Amino acid sequence: MAERETARTWVWLCAVPTAPRKERVHRESELSARPHEDNQSHRYDHEAFLGKEEARTFEQLSPEESKARLGKIVDRIDSDGDSYVTTGELKTWIKRVQKRYVYENVAKVWSDYDLNKDDKISWDEYKQATYGYYLANPEEFEDATDQFSFKKMLPRDERRFKAADLDGDLSATREEFTAFLHPEEFEHMKDIVVLETLEDIDKNGDGYVDEDEYIADMFAHEEGGPEPDWVKTERDQFSDFRDLNKDGKMDKEEIRHWILPQDYDHAQAEARHLVYESDRDKDEVLTKEEILENWNMFVGSQATNYGEDLTKNHDEL
C-alpha cells in the first residue's frame, strides 16, 4: 500500500511550514462501495479521508480495555438513548471528532507561534518561529534543494496567511490561524487549497495537471519497470473522471472537482462504511454488541479519532 500513498511530504531541516497539511484533500468514492478485505484495507480507507493520525494509542491497550472504553463512547454516540446507533448518529459523532481534532491541533501549537503572548499570531511571529533560523543563517543552507524549498515555501505561507487573515491586520486570531493551518475546513480557503495542489503537482509549470503529472504525484515509476494494475486504473480514472472537458489535462476547476467534490460527504461515507461492515443482522442500525464485536475496526476509525478517544477519560469526550 505504500506505493499508493498520495501524501505530499515536505522535507524540512529545522522548521515545518504549515506542517499539518500533509495530505491531499482528494476524496475517494464512498467506502460502502469499496472492497474491505482486511485491516490494512480498512486503514487505507480511513487514511484516504484525513491522512495518518500519529495518535493511535489504542495499540497500547488490551482488547478488553479497548472494548470497555469503546462501550462508553458508544453510549455517547447513541444520542437518543434507544440502544441503537444509526448512520446519522455516527455521522454527527464523526463530524464532532473531526472538528475537535482540528481545534486541538491548533491549541497544541499556539504557544509556539504566539511569541508575545497577546493571544494573536502575527505574520512576523509565524515567520520568525518557522523561518527565523534560515533567514538569519542562509549560508548554512547551501544545498540548492534546501534553498529552493525555503524560498518557495515562505511566500507560499505568506499568501495562505493573508488569505486566512480576514480582517487584513496581518495578525491571526485563533479562528484565522485555524483556517491557515487547516484551509480545507474553511470555505473561504478553498481557492488556496486548489492552487497549492496545482503548484505541487504541475511540474512543468504550465498551469495544468496532465496525466503523467497526476500519476507521478502518487507513484514513483522505476525506469523500465512495469506499472502496477492500480496505476493503470488511476490512468483510467484520470481520463474518465478527472479530465472533465477531455483536453488531456486538469485545470483549476477540474482539480477543485477532484479534491473538493461538492457532492461528497466523507463523514457520511465513513458512517455508512462502519454500519455496513458491522451490521450483523442487516437492519441498518448497530447495537453496542455489534460494534464491540467489530471493535478492532472502530478503534482504527475516524469515529474514535483512530483510537485516541479510547485513552481519554469519559468526561473529556
Side-chain angles (χ1 to χ4, degrees), residues 59-310:
E59 294 176 355
Q60 302 170 12
L61 304 175
S62 68
E64 292 73 22
E65 189 175 3
S66 292
K67 291 178 183 179
R69 297 193 184 193
L70 178 58
K72 294 180 180 179
I73 292 175
V74 173
D75 292 337
R76 298 291 301 278
I77 297 174
D78 180 19
S79 57
D80 61 8
D82 67 352
S83 298
Y84 294 97
V85 171
T86 65
T87 301
E89 287 172 328
L90 268 174
K91 175 184 173 180
T92 298
W93 179 264
I94 288 168
K95 284 185 175 291
R96 175 186 172 186
V97 168
Q98 292 171 359
K99 186 174 182 179
R100 191 186 71 226
Y101 165 74
V102 166
Y103 285 96
E104 284 184 350
N105 174 262
V106 172
K108 288 176 182 177
V109 302
W110 183 264
S111 61
D112 296 336
Y113 299 109
D114 182 16
L115 304 180
N116 65 4
K117 309 306 177 187
D118 65 348
D119 207 34
K120 283 189 174 185
I121 294 173
S122 69
W123 166 246
D124 285 340
E125 284 178 312
Y126 178 81
K127 182 172 67 173
Q128 181 61 34
T130 306
Y131 298 99
Y133 188 84
Y134 166 73
L135 294 172
N137 304 277
E139 70 281 357
E140 294 191 21
F141 298 84
E142 295 180 356
D143 183 273
T145 301
D146 295 336
Q147 288 189 5
F148 175 77
S149 295
F150 279 92
K151 288 180 179 179
K152 175 184 177 182
M153 291 308 300
L154 195 156
R156 175 162 154 161
D157 271 359
E158 184 174 13
R159 181 183 65 193
R160 188 197 285 194
F161 191 96
K162 289 179 176 179
D165 177 27
L166 291 177
D167 60 10
D169 65 353
L170 289 181
S171 288
T173 63
R174 286 182 183 266
E175 189 73 4
E176 289 171 334
F177 198 65
T178 301
F180 171 66
L181 290 184
H182 298 274
E184 74 287 350
E185 301 293 334
F186 293 82
E187 190 62 36
H188 68 280
M189 298 294 290
K190 298 295 177 67
D191 287 345
I192 287 291
V193 173
V194 172
L195 180 58
E196 290 182 1
T197 300
L198 171 62
E199 291 173 344
D200 284 345
I201 307 178
D202 175 25
K203 299 306 182 184
N204 64 13
D206 66 351
Y208 299 92
V209 172
D210 61 34
E211 181 179 312
D212 288 337
E213 290 170 330
Y214 172 79
I215 294 299
D217 183 56
M218 61 185 79
F219 174 68
H221 188 73
E222 295 182 6
E223 190 68 29
E227 286 188 345
D229 289 342
W230 70 263
V231 173
K232 297 176 183 177
T233 300
E234 282 295 337
R235 290 191 181 277
D236 292 338
Q237 286 284 312
F238 182 89
S239 60
D240 294 342
F241 301 108
R242 310 290 183 235
D243 178 19
L244 299 177
N245 63 7
K246 308 306 177 187
D247 65 350
K249 55 192 177 185
M250 286 194 290
D251 57 25
K252 287 182 181 179
E253 285 307 307
E254 289 168 321
I255 291 172
R256 181 187 298 271
H257 188 270
W258 168 40
I259 65 173
L260 300 169
Q262 295 299 305
D263 57 351
Y264 188 80
D265 186 332
H266 54 84
Q268 176 78 5
E270 171 77 347
R272 287 179 176 175
H273 164 56
L274 292 173
V275 171
Y276 178 83
E277 292 293 330
S278 306
D279 184 18
R280 189 176 54 209
D281 59 10
K282 303 305 176 185
D283 62 354
E284 299 185 352
V285 293
L286 299 180
T287 63
K288 181 185 287 189
E289 288 71 24
E290 286 175 321
I291 291 173
L292 295 182
E293 184 175 290
N294 205 15
W295 69 275
N296 197 41
M297 184 177 70
F298 277 85
V299 298
S301 162
Q302 192 180 330
T304 59
N305 204 18
Y306 298 94
E308 186 173 7
D309 287 345
L310 298 184

Side-chain angles (χ1 to χ4, degrees), residues 69 309 311-317:
R69 297 193 184 193
D309 287 345
T311 65
K312 293 187 176 185
N313 294 329
H314 181 62
D315 293 339
E316 292 182 66
L317 301 174

